[in-house]
Amino acid sequence: MLAIALNPATLITTFDPGSLIYLFDMIGIVACSISGTILAKHKKFDVFGCLLVSIVTAIGGGTVRDVILNRHPLFWMVDMSYLMVITISSLVMQIFFHPNSKRVNKFLRLSDTIGLSAFTLIGIKVADSMGTNVPVALLLGVITIIVGGIIRDMICNEIPLVLQQEIYITAALTGGILYFALHNLGVRDWVTDIATMSTIFTLRMLAIRYDWQFPTLEWKY
């Protein structure tokens, strides 16, 4: 499946849903593996510590999603490409990424945003294929991306990104709503998927660029 997904001729000429979604899934896996490795290495974890953080970041959310949906066997247990891709991407980052680089935060946010875009879409499509209603599918799409990030941040002794004031879950929900809107309008699946990911990515990057944040609720008296 991985070889099919990475075949540009197949994707361009046929837009096969299976291979395209698998490619999106692998993009999310690589992005989350990189974000986990960057943070772990910045915290001076050893090679196995970085690898562990990258694994839980990449597959943690999808695992929780599938357990909730009673979807067995778990995806990474039957397709070893997931663990293989996580391991390779983590090791490459450990070799070439300097933990004291001034761009640590930028790399972390970029890879996290790519993972947000891909995993929200994957989570929604998996939940939708299992017959869940729209609100539940949106929730599971969010769970797919935030659980791994929360575990990553807790292991690295950081305040989880999703618990801060940044626009994160909102970007995922906005993309998810767009997904179902386009789907109900009969737009082709691959167009809907790309539009959903692009919307999430763009909204999140704009929020980072212009420092968009939600205000805290506070009663002044």
Side-chain angles (χ1 to χ4, degrees):
M1 178 65 82
L2 180 59
I4 296 175
L6 296 178
N7 185 339
T10 301
L11 293 177
I12 294 173
T13 58
T14 67
F15 288 103
D16 176 64
S19 59
L20 190 61
I21 290 303
Y22 193 77
L23 177 59
F24 289 156
D25 204 8
M26 284 299 167
I27 290 173
I29 288 290
V30 171
C32 288
S33 175
I34 289 174
S35 73
T37 302
I38 289 174
L39 185 57
K41 190 168 184 183
H42 184 62
K43 293 291 184 175
K44 303 188 185 306
F45 286 19
D46 64 16
V47 59
F48 294 107
C50 291
L51 185 57
L52 173 63
V53 173
S54 71
I55 290 174
V56 298
T57 305
I59 66 175
T63 299
V64 172
R65 175 202 66 213
D66 287 357
V67 170
I68 293 174
L69 289 171
N70 195 30
R71 185 170 178 252
H72 299 291
L74 296 176
F75 63 97
W76 53 270
M77 290 185 175
V78 295
D79 186 349
M80 294 306 296
S81 296
Y82 287 95
L83 294 179
M84 180 181 68
V85 169
I86 292 170
T87 301
I88 293 174
S89 58
S90 178
L91 292 176
V92 169
M93 285 302 297
Q94 291 184 57
I95 293 171
F96 294 104
F97 187 82
H98 195 285
N100 296 322
S101 171
K102 296 180 179 179
R103 299 181 178 179
V104 166
N105 193 48
K106 291 183 179 180
F107 277 119
L108 181 60
R109 289 179 180 273
L110 177 60
S111 58
D112 199 61
T113 300
I114 295 173
L116 172 68
S117 306
F119 276 175
T120 299
L121 173 65
I122 296 298
I124 289 173
K125 291 183 75 71
V126 168
D128 190 38
S129 69
M130 298 291 287
T132 63
N133 55 41
V134 173
V136 172
L138 291 174
L139 175 61
L140 290 173
V142 170
I143 285 176
T144 303
I145 181 58
I146 68 170
V147 171
I150 289 175
I151 297 174
R152 174 199 66 201
D153 293 342
M154 290 177 65
I155 293 175
C156 296
N157 197 30
E158 292 280 329
I159 298 176
L161 184 63
V162 299
L163 301 181
Q164 300 179 40
Q165 294 175 261
E166 298 190 26
I167 294 178
Y168 193 89
I169 294 179
T170 303
L173 292 176
T174 301
I177 292 171
L178 176 65
Y179 171 85
F180 284 107
L182 294 177
H183 184 72
N184 290 334
L185 290 173
V187 178
R188 297 187 66 176
D189 287 345
W190 66 270
V191 176
T192 299
D193 295 344
I194 293 176
T196 299
M197 289 182 59
S198 299
T199 298
I200 297 171
F201 182 85
T202 301
L203 182 57
R204 173 62 181 155
M205 293 305 293
L206 286 174
I208 293 173
R209 173 64 177 83
Y210 296 105
D211 195 27
W212 293 345
Q213 295 183 352
F214 280 117
T216 56
L217 296 178
E218 181 180 358
W219 175 261
K220 296 183 180 181
Y221 56 90

